[in-house]
Amino acid sequence: MNNSHTKRIFEEAYRTIEKKEVAVIRDVHGFPERDRDIISPYLMLFICHSGSSRALYDMQEVVFRPNEVAMILPNHIIRPIDSSPDYSITIIMHSFAFEQDMTQRRMTHDRNKFHKTPACRLTDEEMAQYMKAVELLEIISETPVSRYPHRHDMLLAQTDIMTDMLDACRRDMDQDAKPIDRNRSIFNVFCNQVAIHYREQHEVAFYAEKAHLTTRHFSVVIKEVVGVSASDYIEQYLATQAKNLLSSRPDLSVLQIGDHLGYADSSSFCRFFKRATGLSPREFREKNCK
């Protein structure tokens, strides 16, 4: 399956996800794009059936292999690198509203552990059981509310079951895992905080305070982990969000995109974008939206 076909599959899922609440996307054999940062507003589960792939997840390399289920949290940076010819996955996507309901429903479920180690490895038996649960989830998601009046609650309940299945596998894996060093733990929290607060907080000092560190010490820690400063990470994150919006949302003006990303006016957003990418927002849109 070529990249353009995979990209069309994702575009269709994005168009319908808010109405469907949960999308099950089968037989995906590649990436929609390679070597380009992607930020999705939706939580996604990737289930690997065969082959393998490599990507950068918040600037850290991850490898995805058969019998693994990876959870990619909303608003985090993914950069696909490559995949093997036999790569085959199923993707589950949650709408924003559905994921909010799941978070409130499952306050005890710590999704952040999947940021530290995105993939959870299942045995053959566990994978077979998990895919049976996926089949039922797909049936519910594809059935209209007129047929299942309590469809939303059914989706929540089925996702609860699948969450418990992953949690059981995760506990076994975490028992054998090496403790994450303090600096990497600080970086993981930083990534999560940026994903939450990027629209209103662009300054390193805000995130340093969250980590109970001075701005200087915090910046040193982030650079030690990923090789770029905290301010550079924030800038790259905002530039990626801006590029995604400019290329995927032609209905939004440059002013509206800048406002969405927390810039006081169009000129300050344009100056930032030009500095980060070498192009003005208008030039980037003309080049990437033909």
Side-chain angles (χ1 to χ4, degrees):
M1 184 178 295
N2 59 36
N3 288 1
S4 62
H5 186 72
T6 305
K7 188 173 182 178
R8 286 195 296 272
I9 291 174
F10 272 86
E11 289 173 347
E12 175 61 23
Y14 271 51
R15 279 195 295 270
T16 60
I17 186 61
E18 292 302 336
K19 182 177 179 181
K20 291 181 67 174
E21 297 190 278
V22 174
V24 178
I25 311 167
R26 292 183 177 271
D27 300 322
V28 178
H29 299 288
F31 299 118
E33 296 183 75
R34 295 176 188 269
D35 297 319
R36 176 178 177 271
D37 289 340
I38 302 168
I39 298 178
S40 171
Y42 306 117
L43 181 137
M44 289 191 281
L45 291 165
F46 293 76
I47 307 165
C48 188
H49 306 295
S50 64
S52 62
S53 67
R54 290 189 306 133
L56 295 180
Y57 184 32
D58 290 332
M59 298 187 179
Q60 301 175 91
E61 184 170 319
V62 293
V63 180
F64 191 34
R65 301 180 178 88
N67 276 30
E68 291 184 342
V69 179
M71 181 182 293
I72 303 301
L73 302 176
N75 291 320
H76 286 258
I77 304 176
I78 289 287
R79 175 176 286 190
I81 301 174
D82 57 35
S83 59
S84 62
D86 57 341
Y87 184 57
S88 177
I89 62 173
T90 295
I91 298 173
I92 299 172
M93 185 184 297
H94 292 178
S95 75
F96 179 79
F98 184 82
E99 183 55 26
Q100 291 289 100
D101 283 354
M102 275 301 302
T103 300
Q104 293 176 7
R105 184 183 178 97
R106 295 296 299 262
M107 296 298 290
T108 58
H109 181 65
D110 179 15
R111 295 206 188 284
N112 288 335
K113 70 179 71 172
F114 283 90
H115 181 256
K116 301 170 186 174
T117 311
C120 177
R121 185 165 182 79
L122 280 61
T123 65
D124 288 343
E125 182 180 0
E126 289 167 340
M127 178 61 86
Q129 292 171 347
Y130 193 76
M131 288 310 297
K132 287 180 180 178
V134 172
E135 288 175 14
L136 182 52
L137 181 74
E138 185 175 22
I139 290 170
I140 299 168
S141 71
E142 294 294 337
T143 304
V145 176
S146 58
R147 178 68 174 169
Y148 291 161
H150 303 292
R151 178 180 174 278
H152 177 72
D153 291 334
M154 293 170 70
L155 286 171
L156 287 171
Q158 185 62 16
T159 304
D160 257 348
I161 292 169
M162 295 169 65
T163 298
D164 283 338
M165 294 172 76
L166 280 187
D167 276 351
C169 299
R170 187 84 207 196
R171 282 193 297 272
D172 295 338
M173 188 180 82
D174 289 346
Q175 286 178 355
D176 300 326
K178 295 180 180 179
I180 295 177
D181 66 59
R182 184 170 182 270
N183 284 0
R184 189 166 293 276
S185 179
I186 290 169
F187 175 72
N188 287 336
V189 172
F190 171 53
C191 292
N192 289 330
Q193 291 293 330
V194 172
I196 294 168
H197 299 291
Y198 70 93
R199 293 182 63 181
E200 68 272 7
Q201 297 292 344
H202 300 172
E203 299 299 322
V204 175
F206 171 83
Y207 300 100
E209 184 177 351
K210 287 281 186 181
H212 307 291
L213 297 173
T214 65
T215 301
R216 181 179 177 82
H217 185 190
F218 182 76
S219 297
V220 168
V221 167
I222 300 306
K223 189 155 189 175
E224 282 184 0
V225 175
V226 287
V228 300
S229 67
S231 60
D232 284 344
Y233 179 91
I234 295 168
E235 181 170 287
Q236 180 175 329
Y237 184 94
L238 290 168
T240 299
Q241 284 280 17
K243 287 188 284 188
N244 286 346
L245 289 169
L246 286 164
S247 58
S248 66
R249 293 293 304 275
D251 56 310
L252 295 179
S253 68
V254 170
L255 176 62
Q256 288 172 315
I257 291 173
D259 182 67
H260 175 82
L261 294 175
Y263 288 90
D265 51 57
S266 178
S267 60
S268 60
F269 170 63
C270 290
R271 284 195 302 271
F272 152 75
F273 192 83
K274 178 82 171 181
R275 184 178 70 250
T277 68
L279 298 171
S280 71
R282 189 178 302 278
E283 289 169 339
F284 178 87
R285 177 168 267 174
E286 289 174 354
K287 183 177 179 181
N288 290 274
C289 299
K290 295 178 181 178

